[in-house]
């Protein structure tokens, strides 16, 4: 079947030609406006003819390879379409003088379910009150937009980090807060916050959806791998379900019977969407989004593991769920398949289509959005025949034919990082350009009706009155996301956010051998303050954020933000060479944004008041006793600022090089925030913290953990899992934990377990610590 874009273009061309030759024709013809029809049901087309001279002959082309021959006075066709689609109908009429034609697109759709599904979003449409609400994450506010006047009515201050909004059947606006781990309930008339509901500490609530039946609400807790069921009136937690992983997007079917939750960061084998039965509140299906290992890597397609699964869009026919995300080509690289990563075949955007009835992904219908970056939300036209997909990294909204998956058109100039979408009954599409602090509004009536590709941008509505981010920081974050800038990415596939969405990590290990490195586990940028810890990257290969211009040119395919003339001066073109700071306003803005990332997400492994657990306190003693603080030192938990590199037995052939030079060791990573950054080590070879301390710790080269009991090992892990940059008070003198922090405990390196076993003197510890610095192989001191 032809794509909608070509169909509508063909129809427009035919109509133009018919109009141009009108004066030469005597005969006229028309077909009255007709409504879309259902699959498998007959539809009648009546042709009206006027001003004919002599016999009239008619030929019908129904658009589905059904054609008639010219027949006299064949003015009616009753036709049944076997499949849904957009069919270009062409009727040709001729008499003794000339000819004319009638062309249009006829839409055939599947039966529709009653009611509308609900899904998590940062923009929601309030139809009864003709308003749109947006959650303004960095500015801790909710904006209210008049959908008729296209103006901002108000901006309501709310708790920290609003990420989602939803409306209850009672007309209340619910606002979900990631940073405050809370839910706010706002009266939509007075715009006053009526109440706040606290959610589990440090749980990172990310997705909010209220059932269309109005009897329940659902919230995903990304940090703890849970889904909450809430009372739809009070917001009180009714039940919780452990899903594992990083649940993020949540949607509820039109009848409230099924809940769909995305796992944001995928495992190594496949992506995942869980379907939960609302009645039992148990998982009924786990849709596996298979890793693509067989597609040939070209400039228009490629292999990859589905990841960054943002949301679920449920089609109006109730048959499919659309899941936008990305594909990470972790199968490519010099150490993996001897092929260098390219800008076409590192990260590619995808939309997966889940067959709801069969409980599997329809892999054959998986959509690769060519030259795009970070699709994240989907909304459908009322018939479900077109899908609007917001593409955050590409600053646009793509329109797709849902029956073929083919590209129809794109709504550009949305503003930076478009996320939430809402389509009104008047065919106006509202788009939340989250980093432009605007709502873009488009008239999409011609697309909805299948008449044409014409769209019109109606407004850009400001949402934030007083920006909280520094101007340069905001500009840096816009650049961080935007792959439409050819200086960032020539083909539009990659921006910094492709692997570091919102500054975090994507859980993947990349083969950067082609750019002078090796296997590298994506590092979270949170809490690092840019170069606040020292050099960046696992090999410490960059000494300023502006050095990322090398990656932009080598990996992203971008033109870079420095000119050839600037790069030719001194050693500017060399990492750790002459400074790049001050040479490019854009690179300086990127550095300002990364420098602003000065906090880690709080650890959910702590007590509800944010304090260390009992095991965490005991683990801190063991941490000090082992001398872990020698390298993981200070408030930042790293000696990176001193430029030191260490080999603790993990450097191997696949570790590659250091910006094309020999690699002698690895930069010490902070342990703050390590609870959410699995897998571990520079090459991701340790799936868990236990693996770091045991499996990947040959001959105790990383730490003397072989002498720990299972209980002590668990306590040490518990402490590391609770490190999040919080300043924890030392135990007071005299309590049990305080006894463990005696000088003997702090300096002893022999850790068989009992106090009588720890007698290594200060000199022995200093010697061992020095050996650790140079990565020399050693055994435990006697």
């Amino acid at each position: 079947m032809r794509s909608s874009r070509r169909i509508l273009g063909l129809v427009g061309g035919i109509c133009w030609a018919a109009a141009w030759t009108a004066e030469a024709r005597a005969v006229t013809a028309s077909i009255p406006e007709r409504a879309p029809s259902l699959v498998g049901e007959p539809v009648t087309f009546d042709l009206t003819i006027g001003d004919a001279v002599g016999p009239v002959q008619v030929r019908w082309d129904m658009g589905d390879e059904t054609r008639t021959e010219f027949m006299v006075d064949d003015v009616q066709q009753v036709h049944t379409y076997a499949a849904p689609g957009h069919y270009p109908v062409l009727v040709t009429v001729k008499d003794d003088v000339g000819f004319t034609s009638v062309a249009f697109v006829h839409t055939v759709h599947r039966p529709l379910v009653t009611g509308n599904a609900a899904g998590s979003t940062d923009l929601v449409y309030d139809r009864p009150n003709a308003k749109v609400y947006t959650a303004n994450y960095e500015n801790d506010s909710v904006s209210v937009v008049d959908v008729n006047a296209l103006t901002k009515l108000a901006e309501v201050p709310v708790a920290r980090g609003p990420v989602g909004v939803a409306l209850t059947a009672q007309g209340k606006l619910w606002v979900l807060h990631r940073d405050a781990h809370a839910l706010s309930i706002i009266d939509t008339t007075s715009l006053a916050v009526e109440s706040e509901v606290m959610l589990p500490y440090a749980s990172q609530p990310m997705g909010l959806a209220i059932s269309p039946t109005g009897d329940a609400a659902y919230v995903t807790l990304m940090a703890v791998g849970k889904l909450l069921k809430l009372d739809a009136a009070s917001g009180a937690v009714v039940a919780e379900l452990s899903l594992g992983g990083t649940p993020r997007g949540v949607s509820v079917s039109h009848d409230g019977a099924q809940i769909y939750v995305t796992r944001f960061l995928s495992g190594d084998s496949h992506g995942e969407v869980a379907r939960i039965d609302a009645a039992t509140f148990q998982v009924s299906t786990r849709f596996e989004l298979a890793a693509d290992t067989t597609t040939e890597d070209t400039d228009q397609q490629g292999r990859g593991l589905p990841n960054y699964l943002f949301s679920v869009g449920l089609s109006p026919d109730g048959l499919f769920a659309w899941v936008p995300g990305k594909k990470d080509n972790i199968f490519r690289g010099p150490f993996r398949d001897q092929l260098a990563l390219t800008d076409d075949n590192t990260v590619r955007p995808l939309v997966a289509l889940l067959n709801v009835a069969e409980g599997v992904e329809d892999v054959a219908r998986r959509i690769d959005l060519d030259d795009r970056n970070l699709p994240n939300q989907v909304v459908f036209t009322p018939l479900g025949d077109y899908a609007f997909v917001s593409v955050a990294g590409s600053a646009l909204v793509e329109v797709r034919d849902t029956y073929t998956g083919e590209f129809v058109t794109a709504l550009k100039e949305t503003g930076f990082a478009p996320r939430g979408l809402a389509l009104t009954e008047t065919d106006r599409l509202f788009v939340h350009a989250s980093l432009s602090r605007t709502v873009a509004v488009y008239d999409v009536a011609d697309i909805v009706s299948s008449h044409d590709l014409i769209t019109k941008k109606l407004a850009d509505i400001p949402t934030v009155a007083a920006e909280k981010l520094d101007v340069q920081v905001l500009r840096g974050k816009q650049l961080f996301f935007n792959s439409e800038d050819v200086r960032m990415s020539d083909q539009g596939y990659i921006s910094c956010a492709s692997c570091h969405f919102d500054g975090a990590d994507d859980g993947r290990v990349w083969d950067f051998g082609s750019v002078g490195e090796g296997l590298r586990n994506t590092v979270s940028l949170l809490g690092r303050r840019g170069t606040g810890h020292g050099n960046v990257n696992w090999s410490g290969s960059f000494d300023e954020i502006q050095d990322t211009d090398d990656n932009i040119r080598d990996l992203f395919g971008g033109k870079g933000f420095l000119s050839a003339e600037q790069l030719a001066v001194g050693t500017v073109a060399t990492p750790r060479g002459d400074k790049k700071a001050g040479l490019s306003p854009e690179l300086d803005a990127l550095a300002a944004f990364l420098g602003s990332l000065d906090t880690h997400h709080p650890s959910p492994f702590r007590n509800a008041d944010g304090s260390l657990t009992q095991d965490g306190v005991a683990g801190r003693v063991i941490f000090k006793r082992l001398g872990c603080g020698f390298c993981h030192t200070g408030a930042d938990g790293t000696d990176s600022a001193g430029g030191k590199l260490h080999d603790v037995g993990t450097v191997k052939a696949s570790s590659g090089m250091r910006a094309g030079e020999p690699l002698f060791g690895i930069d010490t990573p902070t342990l703050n925030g390590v609870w959410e950054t699995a897998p571990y080590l520079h090459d991701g070879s340790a799936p868990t913290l236990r693996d770091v301390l045991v499996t990947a710790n040959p001959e105790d080269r990383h730490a003397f953990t072989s002498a720990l009991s299972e209980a002590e090992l668990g306590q040490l892990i518990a402490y590391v899992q609770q490190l999040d940059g919080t300043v924890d008070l030392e135990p007071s003198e005299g309590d049990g934990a305080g006894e463990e922090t005696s000088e003997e405990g702090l300096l002893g390196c022999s850790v068989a377990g009992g106090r009588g076993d720890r007698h290594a003197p200060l000199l022995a510890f200093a010697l061992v610590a020095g050996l650790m610095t140079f990565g020399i192989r050693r055994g435990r001191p006697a």
Side-chain angles (χ1 to χ4, degrees):
M1 190 181 298
R2 290 177 238 172
S3 73
S4 297
R5 189 180 190 188
R6 286 179 292 186
I7 289 169
L8 296 178
L10 172 65
V11 170
I14 292 171
C15 294
W16 174 84
W20 187 79
T21 60
E23 292 184 3
R25 294 194 307 263
V27 66
T28 62
S30 64
I31 293 178
E33 188 76 21
R34 80 247 121 243
S37 61
L38 282 169
V39 170
E41 293 190 359
V43 56
T44 301
F45 300 100
D46 291 306
L47 179 68
T48 300
I49 298 174
D51 301 323
V53 177
V56 176
Q57 298 185 66
V58 180
R59 182 177 65 191
W60 294 79
D61 184 336
M62 307 310 298
D64 61 351
E65 299 185 355
T66 301
R67 299 179 182 87
T68 68
E69 298 300 325
F70 276 107
M71 296 178 63
V72 175
D73 294 332
D74 186 11
V75 295
Q76 186 181 78
Q77 278 288 313
V78 179
H79 190 70
T80 300
Y81 289 95
H86 300 98
Y87 294 93
V89 179
L90 175 62
V91 187
T92 305
V93 180
K94 64 180 181 179
D95 64 1
D96 288 347
V97 175
F99 74 94
T100 189
S101 62
V102 179
F104 58 89
V105 172
H106 179 68
T107 300
V108 180
H109 64 92
R110 299 186 181 98
L112 306 177
V113 298
T114 302
N116 299 306
S120 49
T121 177
D122 66 354
L123 176 149
V124 66
Y125 172 45
D126 180 359
R127 180 171 181 175
N129 294 311
K131 295 175 182 176
V132 158
Y133 307 96
T134 67
N136 307 320
Y137 178 69
E138 288 97 349
N139 286 286
D140 304 331
S141 67
V142 169
S143 295
V144 186
V145 171
D146 185 313
V147 301
N148 295 319
L150 301 183
T151 57
K152 187 177 81 169
L153 298 174
E155 186 178 354
V156 183
V158 293
R160 289 184 300 114
V163 290
V165 284
L167 288 162
T168 69
Q170 295 75 31
K172 303 296 183 182
L173 178 68
W174 283 22
V175 184
L176 190 67
H177 303 276
R178 179 181 189 176
D179 296 348
H181 38 267
L183 175 73
S184 298
I185 300 177
I186 297 177
D187 180 86
T188 53
T189 301
S190 65
L191 297 181
V193 177
E194 292 185 337
S195 61
E196 289 186 354
V197 178
M198 295 306 299
L199 299 173
Y201 173 76
S203 56
Q204 289 189 46
M206 285 300 298
L208 165 66
I210 297 176
S211 174
T213 59
D215 60 345
Y218 302 96
V219 169
T220 56
L221 304 180
M222 194 164 73
V224 295
K226 292 182 178 181
L227 175 69
L228 299 184
K229 180 178 181 180
L230 278 58
D231 180 88
S234 66
V237 176
V238 175
E240 67 175 45
L241 175 64
S242 292
L243 295 175
T246 49
R248 184 175 180 126
V250 56
S251 292
V252 188
S253 61
H254 66 286
D255 57 2
Q258 305 292 334
I259 310 149
Y260 295 81
V261 177
T262 67
R263 177 175 177 173
F264 186 57
L265 299 181
S266 300
D268 289 335
S269 61
H270 60 270
E272 185 176 280
V273 175
R275 178 165 60 187
I276 297 97
D277 180 83
T280 63
F281 204 53
Q282 295 296 317
V283 175
S284 60
T285 312
R286 287 189 184 269
F287 295 85
E288 293 189 358
L289 280 61
D292 182 352
T293 60
T294 59
T295 296
E296 181 185 2
D297 291 345
T298 71
D299 61 348
Q300 295 185 353
Q301 62 181 23
R303 295 170 290 170
L305 172 72
N307 198 16
Y308 275 6
L309 305 182
F310 285 96
S311 62
V312 177
L314 298 171
S315 61
D317 56 21
L319 298 180
F320 290 94
W322 286 45
V323 183
K326 66 167 182 165
K327 278 198 309 184
D328 292 332
N329 199 344
I330 57 172
F331 312 109
R332 188 179 177 105
F335 293 101
R336 287 173 168 158
D337 66 355
Q338 293 75 57
L339 296 175
L341 291 175
T342 68
D343 56 316
D344 285 303
N345 291 113
T346 299
V347 177
R348 297 188 70 90
L350 71 77
V351 177
L353 272 66
L354 311 183
N355 187 312
V356 170
E358 296 181 10
V360 296
E361 180 194 1
D362 189 341
V363 178
R365 296 188 64 195
R366 183 182 287 182
I367 301 171
D368 187 319
L369 282 68
D370 200 31
D371 298 339
R372 302 288 189 244
N373 178 33
L374 294 173
N376 62 100
Q377 189 165 356
V378 179
V379 298
F380 299 91
T381 53
L383 296 179
D385 57 332
Y386 294 111
F388 296 93
V389 184
S390 61
V391 191
S394 301
L396 55 78
V397 175
E398 263 206 12
V399 185
R400 289 271 166 168
D401 184 317
T402 62
Y403 303 132
T404 65
E406 293 187 348
F407 174 81
V408 176
T409 189
L411 311 180
K412 296 191 175 183
E413 300 179 355
T414 60
F416 293 110
R419 297 194 187 184
L421 303 171
L423 181 64
T424 71
E425 71 282 0
T426 58
D427 298 331
R428 287 181 170 183
L429 183 71
F430 288 75
V431 184
H432 185 203
S434 59
L435 292 183
S436 289
R437 315 310 197 206
T438 59
V439 170
V441 188
Y442 296 84
D443 180 346
V444 294
D446 283 340
I447 291 177
V448 173
S449 63
S450 297
H451 283 170
D452 211 324
L453 298 177
I454 296 174
T455 61
K456 181 180 180 182
K457 189 173 185 180
L458 302 176
D460 277 315
I461 307 168
T463 56
V464 175
E467 176 62 47
K468 289 188 176 182
L469 293 188
D470 175 84
V471 172
Q472 193 176 27
V473 170
L474 177 58
R475 177 58 179 149
K477 188 167 186 179
Q478 292 169 344
L479 290 163
F480 188 85
F481 268 81
N482 187 30
S483 62
E484 280 296 282
D485 189 329
V486 295
R487 295 173 299 177
M488 176 67 75
S489 175
D490 181 50
Q491 298 297 317
Y493 286 113
I494 312 178
S495 66
C496 306
S498 300
C499 299
H500 300 281
F501 194 81
D502 285 339
D505 68 286
D506 61 2
R508 300 276 69 84
V509 178
W510 298 94
D511 185 346
F512 291 148
S514 58
V515 290
E517 293 284 323
L519 296 187
R520 295 292 184 264
N521 184 11
T522 303
V523 174
S524 172
L525 307 177
L526 301 179
R528 295 173 182 267
R529 308 186 306 282
T531 55
H533 289 185
N535 288 357
V536 297
N537 297 332
W538 283 101
S539 64
S541 56
F542 293 169
D543 62 357
E544 55 181 337
I545 297 302
Q546 288 83 348
D547 279 333
T548 57
D549 195 63
D550 291 15
N551 283 344
I552 289 170
R553 285 182 280 108
D554 294 339
L555 282 172
F556 298 8
K559 298 184 183 303
F561 293 97
L562 294 175
S563 67
E565 292 76 15
Q566 289 174 311
L567 291 169
V569 175
T571 58
V572 169
T574 305
R576 306 188 313 280
D578 291 342
K579 292 299 182 182
K580 297 180 176 69
L583 300 181
S584 163
E586 291 82 7
L587 291 177
D588 291 347
L590 280 171
F593 168 58
L594 267 64
S596 74
L597 302 179
D598 55 2
T599 59
H600 302 270
H601 291 139
S603 171
F605 291 91
R606 289 173 171 259
N607 289 321
D609 63 356
S611 63
L612 292 175
T613 65
Q614 185 175 354
D615 277 350
V617 172
R620 177 171 59 186
V621 175
I622 298 169
F623 184 89
K624 291 183 175 182
R625 197 172 76 210
L626 293 179
C628 303
F630 184 82
C631 297
H632 297 287
T633 185
D636 290 326
T638 174
D639 60 3
S640 178
K644 298 177 181 178
L645 300 176
H646 305 279
D647 181 4
V648 292
T650 59
V651 175
K652 57 198 77 165
S654 61
S655 301
M657 307 182 78
R658 185 194 194 205
E661 300 173 354
L663 177 69
F664 296 111
I666 298 297
D667 184 77
T668 304
T670 180
L671 297 181
N672 291 329
V674 75
W675 64 270
E676 64 173 343
T677 60
Y680 301 106
L681 302 181
H682 71 279
D683 58 359
S685 58
T688 68
L689 289 172
R690 181 184 178 87
D691 289 313
V692 173
L693 297 170
V694 179
T695 311
N697 186 16
E699 301 179 354
D700 285 338
R701 290 183 65 179
H702 198 163
F704 295 112
T705 58
S706 62
L708 295 179
S709 67
E710 278 300 313
E712 288 177 314
L713 185 62
Q715 290 169 337
L716 178 59
I717 292 172
Y719 174 60
V720 174
Q721 285 177 320
Q722 293 174 49
L723 291 172
D724 58 9
T726 301
V727 178
D728 297 298
L729 297 177
E730 292 286 345
S732 59
E733 210 173 305
D735 64 25
E739 294 176 5
E740 294 294 321
T741 60
S742 64
E743 180 179 280
E744 182 180 36
L746 284 172
L747 299 179
C749 293
S750 178
V751 284
R755 291 181 58 83
D757 293 325
R758 296 191 297 273
H759 297 300
L762 175 61
L763 180 61
F765 174 76
L767 174 62
V768 171
L771 295 179
M772 288 172 63
T773 302
F774 295 101
I776 297 176
R777 184 172 177 173
R778 77 277 183 196
R780 277 173 68 245

